[in-house]
Amino acid sequence: MAGNLSVTREYDRVFSLVQDKLSSNVLFDNASSRTAYLYAMKLKGNMPSVDGRANLRFSILKELPSTIGYTDDDTLTPTRPDAFTSAIFEWKQLATPVNVTGRDMIRTENGAIADMLTALIMAAETGMRESLGGSSVGVFSTADETELRKFSGLQSHLTNSTTTGTVGNLSRATLTAWRHQSSNVSSAFATNGLDRFRTLYRQCGRFDENVDLIVLTGSTMDNYEDALTSTFHVNLPLGMGGQGNADMIDAGFWNIRYKNAMVFADDSVPANYGYFLNSKYIKLYMRQGRESELGDFVKSRDKDDVVAYVYTAGNQCITALARHGVLLNGDTN
């Protein structure tokens, strides 16, 4: 007669087999490919995996040396600027549960355990996607470096005030070089939306560095398109930058271009906000090996269940605030 079999141990055995097939990179690739903003950042190569360190620290250009004119035998007296300071971003951690109860175990045939666990892990992956790409704990959150349970979000980086608050532990109030650009539609988009669009794009640029990602709410995106089609055709000749990004479109993220910047809507952008971003100066840093690490199943001490977590560690970091901008109140047409 066969000995008694442990249902919990059978789940643990099958989970180990499933876990081996789902590496951190596989889960993270799946999760980061299903929201418009995260996918655009991925296309730009702006999701680097880095090794362990105390924090994410970057040298920030604070003050330029002054260039002076001189003639003949003038005495040149150098003035040394306070050229650099550091922006320090903290590691942020997220965890998404994969939970199987005792009732789930006894209702599932042994041959179907792998399918059930895979489905639950895929559900966790979807939850992680919604969280990482969202406004609660993800890249659109209101968190700064004092809140360790949420990724530092665009609502904190690019607020409606350019002179208050901190980014990377640096104060916008005291460091004038550490301020983003802002433009307010203030009335109907049809009235002055395109004017504000043009001005903000120009203000964010410097020499050959320009905005290349414009992320809007659905309403602002609709208003922008409506303003375009009522003034001129957007069928620009090939090479003029009017066409959208083919990779984004193939992935299911419809977009067009404005002066060669990709323009698209993301469901997690807060109402009446739009973000003008230079991908050279914003990245989503992920801890290598924990982009989306699937942990082991653990038996609860006081419940009939087993639980695993998908762990994510990283943060969204900006390294030149002046190269980014926020468009306010563009939802009304």
Side-chain angles (χ1 to χ4, degrees):
M1 179 181 293
N4 291 332
L5 298 177
S6 167
V7 178
T8 301
R9 289 177 181 174
E10 178 65 11
Y11 266 78
D12 192 50
R13 183 188 70 80
V14 176
F15 179 76
S16 296
L17 298 175
V18 173
Q19 185 182 38
D20 289 341
K21 298 178 182 179
L22 295 173
S23 67
S24 178
N25 289 337
V26 169
L27 286 174
F28 185 67
D29 283 347
N30 291 341
S32 61
S33 298
R34 297 181 180 177
T35 64
Y37 175 60
L38 291 181
Y39 191 75
M41 292 284 279
K42 185 176 179 179
L43 282 181
K44 292 287 185 179
N46 280 26
M47 291 186 182
S49 294
V50 297
D51 59 10
R53 58 197 68 180
N55 44 49
L56 296 162
R57 179 187 292 264
F58 306 92
S59 293
I60 303 299
L61 187 61
K62 179 179 178 182
E63 183 180 348
L64 293 172
S66 297
T67 300
I68 59 174
Y70 74 96
T71 184
D72 201 15
D73 62 349
D74 285 355
T75 299
L76 298 178
T77 304
T79 302
R80 189 172 188 272
D82 183 8
F84 296 99
T85 186
S86 291
I88 301 172
F89 295 86
E90 304 296 339
W91 287 110
K92 306 298 184 75
Q93 296 168 270
L94 305 177
T96 309
V98 179
N99 181 238
V100 180
T101 68
R103 186 170 181 79
D104 292 330
M105 297 179 201
I106 64 176
R107 295 175 64 185
T108 307
E109 297 178 2
N110 287 353
I113 292 176
D115 291 339
M116 178 186 177
L117 290 176
T118 300
L120 289 174
I121 292 169
M122 292 303 102
E125 175 190 288
T126 302
M128 181 177 58
R129 173 199 73 195
E130 299 294 332
S131 298
L132 184 61
S135 59
S136 178
V137 298
V139 291
F140 289 101
S141 83
T142 60
D144 60 13
E145 303 319 300
T146 64
E147 175 54 84
L148 298 181
R149 294 176 177 84
K150 302 177 181 180
F151 272 49
S152 298
L154 290 177
Q155 287 190 76
S156 174
H157 292 334
L158 306 174
T159 62
N160 57 9
S161 170
T162 61
T163 58
T164 59
T166 62
V167 177
N169 288 296
L170 293 177
S171 172
R172 278 184 279 237
T174 57
L175 186 59
T176 57
W178 195 236
R179 293 175 182 173
H180 60 283
Q181 311 300 324
S182 178
S183 187
N184 196 330
V185 174
S186 70
S187 60
F189 196 98
T191 303
N192 59 9
L194 286 181
D195 291 339
R196 300 295 184 264
F197 232 77
R198 285 190 290 265
T199 300
L200 184 58
Y201 180 92
R202 174 180 55 78
Q203 290 173 332
C204 292
R206 178 181 63 180
F207 303 121
D208 62 338
E209 299 175 343
N210 291 293
V211 165
D212 57 350
L213 295 175
I214 299 176
V215 193
L216 307 173
T217 65
S219 295
T220 299
M221 187 73 187
D222 290 346
N223 295 340
Y224 170 66
E225 279 194 89
D226 185 57
L228 284 183
T229 55
S230 66
T231 54
F232 60 87
H233 293 295
V234 294
N235 290 358
L236 299 181
L238 187 64
M240 291 291 289
Q243 69 278 10
N245 179 278
D247 290 329
M248 287 277 285
I249 292 171
D250 289 344
F253 303 115
W254 173 87
N255 65 99
I256 57 178
R257 289 186 185 269
Y258 177 78
K259 296 183 178 179
N260 212 36
M262 286 194 293
V263 186
F264 55 89
D266 191 295
D267 292 338
S268 294
V269 177
N272 283 304
Y273 276 75
Y275 299 109
F276 283 50
L277 307 174
N278 185 324
S279 64
K280 180 178 179 180
Y281 297 110
I282 182 168
K283 288 183 172 60
L284 182 61
Y285 287 91
M286 306 304 299
R287 175 60 167 91
Q288 190 175 31
R290 189 161 272 201
E291 295 91 344
S292 297
E293 181 183 6
L294 182 57
D296 294 328
F297 257 143
V298 177
K299 181 75 174 70
S300 297
R301 295 183 61 183
D302 56 353
K303 292 183 179 179
D304 182 14
D305 69 355
V306 286
V307 181
Y309 284 91
V310 179
Y311 298 107
T312 302
N315 204 1
Q316 181 172 231
C317 306
I318 278 183
T319 52
L321 271 180
R323 305 282 71 81
H324 308 278
V326 60
L327 182 73
L328 302 171
N329 298 310
D331 284 2
T332 301
N333 197 19

